[in-house]
Amino acid sequence: MSDLSNQTKAAGEDRHALVRKGLARRHRTEWLFRAAGLTAVILALGFVAILFTTIVSKGLPAFQQAYISANVQFDPELLNLDPAPERQAGQSQADFQAQSFAWQRELAMLNWNALVEASLRDLLPIGFEIDSRQLLSIVETSERHRLREMFVADPSLLGQTVPVEMLASANVDNWLKGTINRELGDAQQQLSAPARQLADEFYENGVIHMGFAWALLTNVDSRSAPASAGLAGAFMGSLYMLLIVIVLAVPIGVASAIYLEEFAPKSRLTDFIEVNINNLAAVPSIVFGLLGAAVFINYFRLPLSAPLAGGLVLTLMTLPTIIIATRAALKGVPQSLRQAALGLGASRSQMVFHHILPVTFPSILTASIIGVAQALGETAPLLLIGMNAFVAQIPTSPMDQATALPVQIFLWNGNENRNFFEARTSAAIMVLLGLMISLNAIAIFLRTYLERKK
Amino acid sequence: MNQVLTSRSALEMSATHSKDALASHQTVRTPDPDAHPSRLRADGVSVFYGDKQALFDVSIDIPEKSVSALIGPSGCGKSTFLRCINRMNDTIEGCKVTGDITLDGQNLYDGNLDVVELRARIGMVFQKPNPFPKSIFENVAYGPKIHGLARNKTDLEEIVVTSLQKAGLFEEVKDRLHSPGTGLSGGQQQRLCIARAMAVGPEVILMDEPCSALDPIATAIIEELIDELRSNYTIVIVTHSMQQAARVSQKTAFFHLGKLIEEGPTEAIFTNPREKRTQDYITGRIG
Ligand SMILES: Nc1ncnc2c1ncn2[C@@H]1O[C@H](COP(=O)(O)OP(=O)(O)OP(=O)(O)O)[C@@H](O)[C@H]1O
Ligand SMILES: [Mg+2]
């Protein structure tokens, strides 16, 4: 008896020794694994930090822009034009319209540049000689249109002198910010020597100053007046597409996932569908663009470049992501919850809507928002349905021509005025990233809020 | 192709096999002169999970207003049989049930019987307590709500309170009816599940090892509860504990390898089993 217990004791000590011997190795593996994980996290964070610092350091200057403070006189001699026609009693509508058009044409023919030039000449330092083409090159070409619009909106300006903050041209902006090499010779400079000198003198005496670049946020893209190019059109285009994706992809995706997971009997057909949905998620996005061009544009004759077509393409692209993520969330619900509901006599749809969905709602929501955010950043498929067209108006409906934020980034990145658009591109990226981050923040907020409520 | 062939031949084999088994297998039955009449009857029930047969030709009468215990070694098909009674097997992929189970003469596997109604009449308590992640009140109120059993709010409150009282839980939770049911102890959760099942007003309550996750004190409370419920409900309980079967049940059925080996009054089964396998199991020789 004591022999036996001695034996087991000895064996026990043996085993302890074995365990102890292995222990060091196990701790080492554990340590190695932790170190590898930590390194990976640090590396990833480092890359993200590099990405963000480059984008922000490049993009931030674009939020500042050179303005020229001038006093514009709406000189009656330059603006010799009858007052805007008013509708006479008994005049037919067509007649009145023709008259208005004639007046507006006349208005456009006026030499608005002369107004701009006169206001700049007033500001010239004494004795400064510069010809009118060179003088006008320091102000953005969009400003004469702005003066016209001011006048149309308020004809009583005639004869008055008002202070106007005019956008300096992109070339002046480059010159003052030093985004173009100031040492380059005349031949390589966009501005002539007197224009450059004037820009410097104006900057010194405060006629030209840096201000917040509202144009970037409130204007549409512009080719002729780069300094006035903005993101408003692309932003609205993206917003419409976002709405379409939310309205279509989220409910359809969630409903299909629920059907496949909770209702559909397991069969060859559902297996086949499942495999195909998984494959669809891996299809390159440009293929969805081709599909969209073939189906929505060629067959259904939806307007080219419209957020409607873009939104539908992005919906197709997002569906598999949402379906897969939602199914994963549903799979995570313990079977016992389903049994509890069914065992009480709940029907399948009652089980889903009363018990399964409330539990999975936060994860389904996160999945949807991530899918939608992914769609928001998509460029390639949009190029194929014409959303890279130059659009000079803010779209007012999903049927209007529009472009999208990522496409705008792509277009600006390829703009020939590299010096100016490099910063604008980064600024546009910042706006897009800001939108994405807010979407994700909403997801995180809703998730924690809903989980706390439960 | 090959695979299909083999699986088909496997099916045929198991079918012929089960016929052999049927021929050789006879349940030993000890009649009970004092037993209540039976409204729930199983007749020749076999269950298949895919190609695999889990129950072989089980026939048994369940007397009303008493407790029937199903015992037998792990994997012998007790839960499978229990799930046949409220058709929870329907929810398992690839599960097929043959034979008849009747309640008041109506076949539960009749095509036009509504499972929703059936499960309102035959409630179930699971092995692991599974309260909904909702408040205690909502847990109990859910069944009456979906079946439209309460005319108004006071009605519903009354149902909830009486169900909790019947399950012996009311005193412990009356101050926190609106806190989550998942925050209760294991034993309390199981009693909550019993209250939830009773709130629908079922005629039959099926319990699958309701005490297996509980400590002896919680077990004793639930056993006491089952004993009280017996006067109003027909109860079928699966248990691994001989003592529990002996304490709470009036009728005992012993399953082995998917077959009903012996059934009869609990007294008779435990004091004087007629089948050798029953005796072996009760005395702990197989398990
Ligand atoms: N969902 C299922 N799919 C396939 N086979 C199953 C399934 N459920 C049970 N079985 C099989 O059916 C047989 C009976 O299982 P069952 O769960 O009824 O046993 P049990 O008597 O309840 O056992 P335990 O006491 O361990 O709970 C077992 O062989 C089991 O492997
Ligand atoms: Mg079981």
Side-chain angles (χ1 to χ4, degrees):
Chain A
M1 188 66 205
S2 84
D3 214 35
L4 191 72
S5 77
N6 274 347
Q7 244 176 30
T8 44
K9 209 169 159 194
E13 267 162 18
D14 256 16
R15 223 166 319 149
H16 282 279
L18 277 176
V19 170
R20 217 169 296 129
K21 222 170 75 195
L23 225 48
R25 189 173 40 82
R26 271 152 61 183
H27 283 313
R28 205 166 48 241
T29 328
E30 172 115 0
W31 184 89
L32 273 178
F33 190 76
R34 275 171 186 243
L38 196 64
T39 323
V41 169
I42 291 171
L43 268 179
L45 278 182
F47 284 128
V48 170
I50 292 171
L51 180 81
F52 271 76
T53 32
T54 11
I55 287 173
V56 170
S57 64
K58 270 193 189 166
L60 268 187
F63 285 97
Q64 292 283 311
Q65 189 168 9
Y67 287 91
I68 305 172
S69 318
N71 292 312
V72 176
Q73 189 200 1
F74 287 84
D75 188 348
E77 263 172 47
L78 289 171
L79 305 178
N80 55 347
L81 163 94
D82 301 327
E86 273 173 48
R87 191 163 177 186
Q88 311 289 313
Q91 191 185 24
S92 78
Q93 175 70 23
D95 205 24
F96 171 68
Q97 259 181 11
Q99 212 177 343
S100 303
F101 278 139
W103 183 78
Q104 283 191 357
R105 201 174 317 120
E106 220 177 311
L107 191 73
M109 304 280 279
L110 292 175
N111 190 359
W112 295 96
N113 267 340
L115 240 63
V116 177
E117 190 187 340
S119 67
L120 292 178
R121 283 222 181 270
D122 278 350
L123 299 167
L124 284 185
I126 303 154
F128 197 97
E129 293 285 332
I130 188 166
D131 72 25
S132 90
R133 201 178 52 77
Q134 290 178 4
L135 181 58
L136 282 172
S137 74
I138 70 163
V139 65
E140 190 48 89
T141 54
S142 58
E143 293 315 281
R144 53 173 194 255
H145 304 303
R146 203 170 81 180
L147 294 183
R148 188 177 77 211
E149 271 152 32
M150 281 171 72
F151 179 67
V152 171
D154 182 10
S156 71
L157 285 175
L158 191 67
Q160 290 189 43
T161 305
V162 286
V164 180
E165 293 278 289
M166 292 193 285
L167 280 175
S169 68
N171 292 331
V172 169
D173 200 73
N174 284 338
W175 174 254
L176 293 177
K177 281 183 187 159
T179 34
I180 190 161
N181 187 349
R182 295 174 68 112
E183 310 303 322
L184 288 177
D186 256 2
Q188 281 137 308
Q189 290 289 356
Q190 305 286 331
L191 291 171
S192 64
R196 297 198 307 266
Q197 195 195 340
L198 183 62
D200 281 338
E201 288 197 21
F202 272 169
Y203 191 52
E204 240 155 67
N205 67 17
V207 170
I208 295 185
H209 62 97
M210 292 291 169
F212 185 76
W214 288 109
L216 183 65
L217 301 182
T218 58
N219 282 5
V220 291
D221 193 14
S222 172
R223 291 220 170 136
S224 53
S228 75
L231 290 168
F235 189 87
M236 284 310 288
S238 277
L239 209 61
Y240 281 128
M241 289 197 284
L242 192 70
L243 285 180
I244 290 170
V245 172
I246 289 176
V247 167
L248 292 179
V250 174
I252 295 177
V254 172
S256 342
I258 290 175
Y259 178 76
L260 286 174
E261 202 55 47
E262 305 290 341
F263 291 93
K266 294 272 169 293
S267 67
R268 289 262 162 93
L269 181 69
T270 44
D271 281 352
F272 180 74
I273 292 176
E274 169 153 14
V275 169
N276 278 294
I277 288 176
N278 292 345
N279 284 341
L280 272 185
V283 167
S285 58
I286 196 149
V287 176
F288 284 99
L290 278 173
L291 180 82
V295 175
F296 298 127
I297 310 271
N298 284 345
Y299 188 76
F300 287 110
R301 301 265 158 217
L302 291 185
L304 208 62
S305 319
L308 180 61
L312 289 174
V313 169
L314 294 182
T315 299
L316 288 185
M317 207 198 76
T318 318
L319 268 177
T321 317
I322 294 185
I323 293 178
I324 291 173
T326 306
R327 288 188 72 176
L330 293 175
K331 281 205 178 88
V333 176
Q335 207 57 31
S336 63
L337 183 62
R338 294 190 178 84
Q339 287 176 344
L342 293 177
L344 271 184
S347 65
R348 253 174 203 274
S349 56
Q350 281 173 329
M351 167 191 91
V352 168
F353 287 104
H354 297 164
H355 301 290
I356 310 277
L357 277 189
V359 199
T360 46
F361 189 72
S363 1
I364 291 181
L365 189 85
T366 320
S368 305
I369 292 188
I370 288 174
V372 167
Q374 209 181 353
L376 185 68
E378 200 53 65
T379 324
L382 300 182
L383 300 181
L384 290 176
I385 54 166
M387 295 202 69
N388 54 343
F390 174 75
V391 180
Q393 246 148 16
I394 297 183
T396 53
S397 85
M399 303 289 279
D400 287 348
Q401 290 206 326
T403 176
L405 280 176
V407 179
Q408 189 69 68
I409 291 169
F410 171 77
L411 291 175
W412 278 359
N413 192 48
N415 192 293
E416 53 273 27
N417 194 342
R418 286 289 306 152
N419 293 326
F420 187 70
F421 276 101
E422 195 169 4
R424 286 248 147 157
T425 308
S426 293
I429 294 175
M430 283 169 70
V431 172
L432 181 60
L433 283 181
L435 202 60
M436 302 265 197
I437 290 172
S438 5
L439 269 180
N440 284 320
I442 292 175
I444 291 169
F445 170 77
L446 281 177
R447 194 186 173 122
T448 41
Y449 173 76
L450 289 170
E451 256 162 19
R452 192 157 337 118
K453 225 178 72 176
K454 205 168 60 196
Chain B
M1 197 61 202
N2 242 337
Q3 217 170 356
V4 175
L5 275 182
T6 46
S7 78
R8 179 171 309 148
S9 59
L11 187 71
E12 274 158 12
M13 263 170 57
S14 80
T16 52
H17 180 74
S18 76
K19 253 182 226 134
D20 288 351
L22 277 185
S24 67
H25 154 65
Q26 201 73 56
T27 304
V28 177
R29 298 176 197 275
T30 312
D32 181 1
D34 306 331
H36 291 264
S38 297
R39 287 161 57 200
L40 184 62
R41 293 201 152 90
D43 191 9
V45 173
S46 297
V47 178
F48 301 83
Y49 290 111
D51 294 344
K52 183 171 166 287
Q53 186 163 7
L55 272 191
F56 298 85
D57 193 33
V58 172
S59 303
I60 188 172
D61 291 356
I62 309 286
E64 71 168 336
K65 300 204 163 73
S66 64
V67 179
S68 307
L70 311 181
I71 60 170
S74 182
C76 67
K78 307 176 298 287
S79 301
T80 301
F81 180 69
L82 199 67
R83 283 198 298 263
C84 290
I85 302 176
N86 69 345
R87 291 186 53 178
M88 281 302 277
N89 276 332
D90 290 12
T91 65
I92 295 174
E93 209 65 52
C95 178
K96 197 174 116 244
V97 180
T98 62
D100 293 336
I101 297 181
T102 54
L103 181 61
D104 291 333
Q106 189 192 15
N107 188 356
L108 304 184
Y109 283 83
D110 195 346
N112 50 31
L113 178 127
D114 193 337
V115 279
V116 166
E117 191 206 327
L118 171 70
R119 290 185 193 143
R121 293 177 67 187
I122 304 181
M124 188 157 191
V125 176
F126 297 85
Q127 175 169 358
K128 243 180 76 195
N130 55 355
F132 297 128
K134 296 180 192 278
S135 75
I136 294 172
F137 184 90
E138 281 177 88
N139 259 284
V140 184
Y142 183 68
K145 260 195 218 160
I146 56 171
H147 293 296
L149 298 181
R151 259 159 295 138
N152 50 42
K153 226 179 138 213
T154 36
D155 240 18
L156 188 64
E157 274 164 14
E158 201 186 306
I159 294 178
V160 171
V161 170
T162 40
S163 305
L164 285 171
Q165 278 167 341
K166 277 195 236 162
L169 186 61
F170 186 67
E171 286 306 314
E172 289 160 63
V173 299
K174 62 182 175 197
D175 304 323
R176 45 169 173 157
L177 284 180
H178 294 283
S179 53
T182 41
L184 297 173
S185 77
Q188 289 173 326
Q189 286 188 15
Q190 196 60 302
R191 277 180 284 154
L192 178 63
C193 293
I194 295 175
R196 183 176 68 184
M198 284 189 307
V200 183
E203 297 148 48
V204 181
I205 300 180
L206 311 174
M207 298 183 173
D208 194 349
E209 301 182 41
C211 302
S212 67
L214 306 183
D215 68 82
I217 295 171
T219 303
I221 295 175
I222 290 191
E223 282 179 9
E224 214 171 290
L225 171 64
I226 293 171
D227 206 46
E228 281 166 28
L229 294 177
R230 160 160 76 97
S231 48
N232 290 311
Y233 300 88
T234 303
I235 295 173
V236 185
I237 179 171
V238 171
T239 176
H240 271 287
S241 150
M242 293 320 123
Q243 290 81 355
Q244 186 169 63
R247 277 194 301 261
V248 300
S249 72
Q250 286 72 54
K251 176 169 187 157
T252 296
F254 170 68
F255 286 73
H256 189 229
L257 297 177
K259 296 181 190 110
L260 176 55
I261 304 297
E262 180 166 358
E263 55 113 327
T266 301
E267 279 259 356
I269 297 275
F270 279 94
T271 53
N272 190 15
R274 287 159 55 194
E275 251 289 327
K276 180 157 184 313
R277 278 174 287 180
T278 317
Q279 185 169 17
D280 286 350
Y281 181 68
I282 289 170
T283 52
R285 261 178 295 229
I286 49 175

